[in-house]
Amino acid sequence: MLVCCLGLVACAPPEPAERDGEQHREQSDEGIGHAGSLPHLRVEVINVLPHDRSSFTQGLELADGTLYEGTGTYGGSRMRATDPATGAVHREDRLPPELFGEGITVEGDRIWQLTWQEGVAIERDRASLRELRRVGYSGEGWGLCHDGARLVMSDGSSRLTFRDPATFAPAGEVAVRAGGEEVGDLNELECAGGHVWANVWHTDQILRIDPATGQVTAVVDASGLLTPQERASADVLNGIAAVPGTDEFLITGKYWPHLYRVRFAPA
């Protein structure tokens, strides 16, 4: 898959309060890999790109030069295909107002999109974004990625569930742990390089997880990307997309004005 010309080259104030599927559960980052127990990585910014500031970003994935983004909120959830360099929207499909969109992933010529508390996964045609069918599941839907053989799904807990990419049926799960403790609030996911990368809700951290064991193998500090003025009108970090063929990622957040092309370097 090729990535097209990611270059340098939008504004509605954030809506308060729809969260990613959850009663408000605060989690301190002090227990995740501190005291030298895990490798810590920092974000090295390569490029700053535009991002639609009205987007309550829930899922992000880059494939064949197109950036696919799923957004949330009741009445405002969308599935979009955009130009990552300019932010221009090529195609868009709105979810019905009773569905709150969550994580997405590309799987061949299809896209899967989760919903928060509605227990519905939407399978879409990748070319048109048209809805093809809906499949039910139990519990909440937060993040989703495809590791090449199976889907990996988060529900806001410390659990990752593996699912069949054709039927969406569950095919096992693993609890995510760091330093012997389970790590909850796992949010948007990206499968890349044999790892699962997970945003942790209400923190500026991204975890690198071994999907075979659930062990956290590194912690990325993504703080400091927004200025204080930008931070005041933005919500949490949420959105990570691997740039195919590189060791780079695109990251953003809910109501963020920018998309960042980054590399995770030793801290």
Side-chain angles (χ1 to χ4, degrees):
M1 292 188 287
L2 299 177
V3 179
C4 300
C5 301
L6 294 179
L8 281 172
V9 154
C11 252
E15 299 172 6
E18 277 115 344
R19 299 297 179 188
D20 258 317
E22 27 250 86
Q23 283 81 22
H24 186 82
R25 297 194 301 270
E26 291 289 353
Q27 174 174 304
S28 168
D29 65 356
E30 290 302 313
I32 305 177
H34 282 257
S37 59
L38 287 171
H40 276 66
L41 306 175
R42 61 181 175 84
V43 170
E44 179 183 289
V45 177
I46 300 168
N47 210 343
V48 180
L49 304 162
H51 181 246
D52 181 356
R53 195 165 189 164
S54 70
S55 291
F56 194 77
T57 304
Q58 301 285 59
L60 203 67
E61 190 154 335
L62 184 66
D64 296 326
T66 297
L67 184 66
Y68 298 92
E69 182 172 9
T71 72
T73 73
Y74 289 112
S77 295
R78 298 175 174 87
M79 179 70 229
R80 284 177 166 176
T82 68
D83 183 332
T86 66
V89 178
H90 296 319
R91 295 176 300 284
E92 177 179 286
D93 189 66
R94 292 175 176 264
L95 277 69
E98 67 274 14
L99 296 182
F100 190 119
E102 286 280 349
I104 68 164
T105 195
V106 173
E107 196 278 309
D109 62 355
R110 306 298 170 91
I111 296 175
W112 283 105
Q113 182 175 25
L114 300 176
T115 57
W116 170 26
Q117 294 183 322
E118 292 71 53
V120 172
I122 301 170
E123 185 183 35
R124 297 181 178 276
D125 174 71
R126 179 178 160 191
S128 66
L129 304 186
R130 178 175 57 88
E131 179 179 327
L132 300 174
R133 62 171 171 153
R134 299 182 185 183
V135 179
Y137 58 84
S138 299
E140 295 185 357
W142 286 35
L144 192 66
C145 67
H146 182 242
D147 70 2
R150 58 191 178 174
L151 303 177
V152 185
M153 175 178 163
S154 66
D155 63 3
S157 70
S158 61
R159 183 177 67 251
L160 296 177
T161 301
F162 305 113
R163 294 184 176 274
D164 185 285
T167 67
F168 212 74
E173 63 179 49
V174 67
V176 174
R177 293 181 171 85
E181 300 291 328
E182 292 194 7
V183 182
D185 289 342
L186 301 178
N187 204 346
E188 214 269 316
L189 305 179
E190 176 71 342
C191 295
H195 309 290
V196 175
W197 301 82
N199 286 269
V200 181
W201 184 59
H202 269 303
T203 79
D204 287 322
Q205 291 187 329
I206 298 169
L207 306 183
R208 188 182 71 193
I209 301 164
D210 180 346
T213 64
Q215 292 298 312
V216 176
T217 59
V219 180
V220 180
D221 178 3
S223 62
L225 291 172
L226 299 179
T227 67
Q229 293 78 12
E230 291 170 336
R231 173 64 71 182
S233 57
D235 208 302
V236 296
L237 175 79
N238 200 52
I240 177 170
V243 179
T246 76
D247 61 351
E248 299 165 7
F249 295 85
L250 300 177
I251 62 175
T252 191
K254 304 173 190 293
Y255 303 132
W256 280 30
H258 309 298
L259 182 73
Y260 296 88
R261 182 165 178 163
V262 304
R263 182 179 293 111
F264 300 144

